[in-house]
Amino acid sequence: DADVTQTPRNRITKTGKRIMLECSQTKGHDRMYWYRQDPGLGLRLIYYSFDVKDINKGEISDGYSVSRQAQAKFSLSLESAIPNQTALYFCATSDASQGSNQPQHFGDGTRLSIL
Amino acid sequence: AQKITQTQPGMFVQEKEAVTLDCTYDTSDPSYGLFWYKQPSSGEMIFLIYQGSYDQQNATEGRYSLNFQKARKSANLVISASQLGDSAMYFCAMRGRENTDKLIFGTGTRLQVFP
């Protein structure tokens, strides 16, 4: 089983719909992140959370919201989807207690298409 | 602000040859970490190798090594004895105190290994 699980893996939806992408982890990490990947732009940070009660905006948070329901769960919502939010979305986790040399561990991604 | 630059959109290498993927970075933070990730066509992000700014030696992980030149602010990934399975996108990323635990990604290099 994957340590970082994203659901759904693929989603096609219409403009204006509310969408939730879910991420759960079994790694016991305290830190979780949501990234967006667009062709030619690499990965950009949307939101991140260092603990259950901690939510921080990233580079491109407009149009998105998040919820850290538990240490193991971090969901990303698009309240009213628009076509330019079509992208590949990644959830990632890291363990702050192990030091700054620890990598972030990524889920397999959610491919989201908004028509 | 921190920045990662990958100037090679695409690279070709013959099987069993070595290849170097370039990465330069910009930061005013004296303490930072550099990461390389591989993204195969299936989409997942796979951590390859890490280099800390205070590490005295270049990092190595199997066929992957990092040519870290601090004065030039470069952290090039060297893949030795390329295999067909190395064909993928490769991303360089940086984390520093300036960004706490967040990763800043480059735009990636697509490597194609041919027989």
Side-chain angles (χ1 to χ4, degrees), chain A residues 9 31 33 35 37 40-43 45 48 50 88 90 94 99-108 111, chain B residues 31 33 35 37 39 41-47 50 89 91 95 99-108:
Chain A
R9 291 295 314 279
R31 300 184 172 189
Y33 311 80
Y35 289 90
Q37 184 180 21
L41 293 180
L43 276 72
L45 184 63
Y48 61 103
F50 285 175
L88 181 58
F90 284 103
S94 68
S100 62
N101 64 338
Q102 295 301 303
Q104 290 183 10
H105 298 267
F106 285 79
D108 288 342
R111 198 168 295 277
Chain B
S31 177
F35 299 80
Y37 283 86
Q39 186 179 39
S41 58
S42 50
E44 68 270 30
M45 296 288 286
I46 302 167
F47 166 69
Y50 167 84
M89 282 289 288
F91 291 95
R95 176 173 65 201
N99 276 331
T100 61
D101 193 38
K102 296 175 286 182
L103 287 179
I104 303 296
F105 283 84
T107 53

Side-chain angles (χ1 to χ4, degrees), chain A residues 63-83:
Chain A
Y64 302 94
S65 63
V66 291
S67 173
R68 185 84 183 264
Q69 302 95 320
Q71 188 191 38
K73 295 183 181 296
F74 192 38
S75 59
L76 175 72
S77 294
L78 289 68
E79 296 300 327
S80 180
I82 55 177

Side-chain angles (χ1 to χ4, degrees), chain A residues 15-114:
Chain A
T15 298
K17 294 291 187 181
R18 183 178 188 274
I19 301 159
M20 181 180 286
L21 308 183
E22 309 219 21
C23 177
S24 63
Q25 51 124 342
T26 58
K27 300 184 77 67
H29 289 172
D30 49 350
R31 300 184 172 189
M32 299 187 74
Y33 311 80
W34 275 104
Y35 289 90
R36 166 179 172 160
Q37 184 180 21
D38 296 278
L41 293 180
L43 276 72
R44 293 181 291 166
L45 184 63
I46 306 172
Y47 271 97
Y48 61 103
S49 169
F50 285 175
D51 203 345
V52 174
K53 296 182 179 180
D54 178 76
I55 299 291
N56 303 281
K57 292 183 177 181
E59 182 185 358
I60 52 165
S61 59
D62 288 348
Y64 302 94
S65 63
V66 291
S67 173
R68 185 84 183 264
Q69 302 95 320
Q71 188 191 38
K73 295 183 181 296
F74 192 38
S75 59
L76 175 72
S77 294
L78 289 68
E79 296 300 327
S80 180
I82 55 177
N84 73 3
Q85 291 177 312
T86 294
L88 181 58
Y89 290 84
F90 284 103
C91 175
T93 73
S94 68
D95 183 359
S97 69
Q98 297 301 309
S100 62
N101 64 338
Q102 295 301 303
Q104 290 183 10
H105 298 267
F106 285 79
D108 288 342
T110 295
R111 198 168 295 277
L112 179 61
S113 297
I114 299 162

Side-chain angles (χ1 to χ4, degrees), chain B:
Chain B
Q2 294 184 328
K3 185 179 179 181
I4 290 281
T5 302
Q6 295 180 256
T7 58
Q8 306 155 313
M11 290 284 287
F12 289 89
V13 66
Q14 190 167 29
E15 201 176 6
K16 300 180 184 177
E17 297 295 311
V19 63
T20 298
L21 307 184
D22 294 342
C23 173
T24 58
Y25 60 91
D26 189 21
T27 182
S28 57
D29 194 337
S31 177
Y32 52 88
L34 296 155
F35 299 80
W36 277 91
Y37 283 86
K38 173 183 178 181
Q39 186 179 39
S41 58
S42 50
E44 68 270 30
M45 296 288 286
I46 302 167
F47 166 69
L48 295 178
I49 194 167
Y50 167 84
Q51 180 80 47
S53 58
Y54 293 124
D55 292 344
Q56 296 297 311
Q57 293 187 326
N58 287 344
T60 60
E61 288 287 348
R63 294 187 298 110
Y64 304 109
S65 61
L66 213 152
N67 183 2
F68 181 47
Q69 298 187 45
K70 194 170 181 177
R72 299 180 62 182
K73 293 188 174 181
S74 73
N76 299 338
L77 177 70
V78 180
I79 304 175
S80 62
S82 296
Q83 301 172 358
L84 296 178
D86 293 333
S87 295
M89 282 289 288
Y90 289 81
F91 291 95
C92 180
M94 176 170 62
R95 176 173 65 201
R97 276 206 305 262
E98 183 181 330
N99 276 331
T100 61
D101 193 38
K102 296 175 286 182
L103 287 179
I104 303 296
F105 283 84
T107 53
T109 296
R110 181 172 298 281
L111 176 67
Q112 295 191 52
V113 181
F114 59 94

